[in-house]
Amino acid sequence: MALFLVVTKMWAVLKTGSTAMLGSLADTGLDLVASIATLVGVWIAAQPADRDHRFGHGKAEALSAMFQVVLIALSAAGLAVRAAGQWLNGERIASANEGIAASLVAIAATLALLSWQRHVIRKTGSLAIRTDNMHYKSDLLLNLSVIAALVMDRVLGVAGADPAFGLAIAGWLAWSAWRASSEAIDHLMDKEWPDEKRAAFVAALADHPELRGVHDLRTRTSGMHDFVQFHAAFDPRMTIAEAHRVMDELEDRIEAAFPGVEVLIHPDPEGLRNEEGPAAEELLPAAAPEIRA
């Protein structure tokens, strides 16, 4: 899809000389590179854990997303320079019809691609695809902006409309890069799950009759994979076999509520607390389903 749009917009740029269309072409060209990076990132992230990567390869998706962010930022900077130069030199576009036609084709193709990406995101939760999807959503506004710029410049005779929209598109791309980088950085930095998700996790354990408490709950997400570890408090008189049975039951509950999550449970006799800091705060039973840590 990106390759098709690159060829279409390249033809439109040659026909119109529009900076706004050039910005759209640059963005689509980077979409092509980003799509290749996304493909590589998703493929690597899907590889199973191995001896050198015991937690899997999920962070390849975050790296792919950050690569896309860099490309978007570079595109925004280049477009801003081009638009500023056109504005200062008083350049006008040569034609509008071809640019409008190419933008309409791009809008239709992008809507089809976004629909497919939403389906993939629902099935996989892929960070790399979500970042790519965010970028293509910005393309819709970008293509509408190109149409507006061409109509205002050639049809309405508004001087400076094309470079003005070019600068606006550059600003939009920069903002998109900033927004897309936050989730990728969270994955790379192993940020904790949102409070609502942590609360739902604790709630899935809350009513087990033999679980006396949960503390030192730690969560993270890597690509499409979630990881959780926590300390579970049991009756000190329990045997190792009994505690192991309860932990198996807890893991079954977790799998039912959070399919595919990898869990590490450390059993503690009730009352034993070796951890310090907010992560060690007791979450069960008093804190469930509220998350205070």
Side-chain angles (χ1 to χ4, degrees), residues 67-88:
F67 178 70
Q68 294 182 54
V69 167
V70 171
L71 290 180
I72 297 170
L74 290 175
S75 174
L79 178 57
V81 171
R82 173 70 180 87
Q86 183 186 24
W87 203 329
L88 292 174

Side-chain angles (χ1 to χ4, degrees), residues 26-229:
D27 181 66
T28 303
L30 292 178
D31 284 347
L32 177 60
V33 177
S35 294
I36 295 172
T38 300
L39 175 62
V40 173
V42 170
W43 178 79
I44 294 174
Q47 302 304 305
D50 55 36
R51 185 168 183 173
D52 293 327
H53 305 88
R54 300 299 294 272
F55 291 98
H57 303 78
K59 289 190 177 181
E61 285 206 36
L63 292 174
S64 171
M66 287 303 298
F67 178 70
Q68 294 182 54
V69 167
V70 171
L71 290 180
I72 297 170
L74 290 175
S75 174
L79 178 57
V81 171
R82 173 70 180 87
Q86 183 186 24
W87 203 329
L88 292 174
N89 295 328
E91 299 175 18
R92 300 291 298 275
I93 61 176
S95 176
N97 293 337
E98 294 87 350
I100 293 173
S103 295
L104 291 174
V105 169
I107 289 172
T110 301
L111 286 171
L113 179 59
L114 287 173
S115 177
W116 172 247
Q117 286 183 325
R118 283 195 297 270
H119 167 73
V120 173
I121 292 168
R122 284 194 301 269
K123 297 285 286 185
T124 67
S126 169
L127 171 63
I129 300 298
R130 281 204 302 273
T131 304
D132 206 37
N133 180 260
M134 184 182 300
H135 193 188
Y136 276 107
K137 283 180 179 177
S138 70
D139 284 356
L140 291 177
L141 181 59
L142 186 149
N143 285 302
L144 289 172
S145 298
V146 170
I147 292 174
L150 293 173
V151 170
M152 291 178 68
D153 191 293
R154 293 299 299 175
V155 178
L156 302 179
V158 179
D162 185 53
F165 273 89
L167 286 172
I169 292 170
W172 170 264
L173 290 174
W175 181 78
S176 297
W178 172 261
R179 187 175 60 165
S181 68
S182 59
E183 188 174 4
I185 292 172
D186 287 346
H187 279 232
L188 291 172
M189 296 297 292
D190 289 334
K191 185 178 180 179
E192 285 287 322
W193 290 355
D195 286 347
E196 297 80 9
K197 188 174 180 179
R198 282 167 54 87
F201 182 87
V202 175
L205 310 176
D207 60 350
H208 194 290
E210 295 176 280
L211 180 62
R212 301 292 182 83
V214 169
H215 59 276
D216 200 17
L217 173 64
R218 304 185 185 196
T219 61
R220 68 184 180 93
T221 298
S222 179
M224 295 178 286
H225 306 289
D226 287 329
F227 297 85
V228 179
Q229 66 182 58

